[in-house]
Amino acid sequence: EKLLGDSADKHAKELKALKAAHDKHAGDLADVKAGHLKHASLPERIDYLEQLLGDSADKHAKELQDLKEAHAKFMAAHGKQAKDVDALKALHQHHATMGERIDYLEKMLGDSADKH
């Protein structure tokens, strides 16, 4: 009887220890599951990154297109201004200076500042 009693006590202790270990593991597993619920799943995280990068790429592509259009407008305006400057230079070459104009008038009138 004593042998059976010792064996039963031993088994009871081992069973109690196994139950405690099982409860601890169950608690740890519940904590891990709770932690996973707080985190986004891998597909959700990838979707988020793709959206973030996609939005950024779309934004940069639009800004780049806007810059290209602004540059084209600037170059068109610059080309027009360059043509205007060239036209003014050409007109200026055809005009005489004030001194040349006075000399011409005096010559035509036969009068000069030296005679006065």
Side-chain angles (χ1 to χ4, degrees):
E1 211 173 273
K2 182 177 181 192
L3 189 59
L4 286 175
D6 287 344
S7 179
D9 288 340
K10 183 179 172 186
H11 287 292
K13 285 181 183 178
E14 287 178 2
L15 185 59
K16 186 176 181 181
L18 281 173
K19 284 183 179 180
H22 179 267
D23 290 343
K24 182 181 180 306
H25 287 297
D28 291 344
L29 182 60
D31 290 343
V32 168
K33 285 181 179 180
H36 282 284
L37 291 175
K38 292 179 185 177
H39 293 287
S41 69
L42 186 59
E44 291 172 333
R45 294 170 72 180
I46 290 173
D47 288 344
Y48 170 74
L49 290 173
E50 286 176 343
Q51 178 188 3
L52 186 67
L53 292 175
D55 290 349
S56 179
D58 292 343
K59 179 182 172 188
H60 290 309
K62 183 180 180 332
E63 289 176 356
L64 182 60
Q65 184 60 37
D66 291 346
L67 282 173
K68 286 180 179 179
E69 290 172 4
H71 183 261
K73 286 180 185 177
F74 171 78
M75 292 306 291
H78 182 267
K80 182 182 179 308
Q81 289 174 348
K83 287 179 185 176
D84 290 345
V85 168
D86 289 341
L88 286 173
K89 285 180 181 178
L91 285 174
H92 182 67
Q93 289 176 352
H94 293 296
H95 288 289
T97 64
M98 187 63 79
E100 292 170 339
R101 292 172 74 184
I102 290 174
D103 289 344
Y104 174 76
L105 289 173
E106 288 177 342
K107 183 179 174 186
M108 292 301 287
L109 294 174
D111 195 7
S112 70
D114 296 334
K115 293 182 182 177
H116 292 281

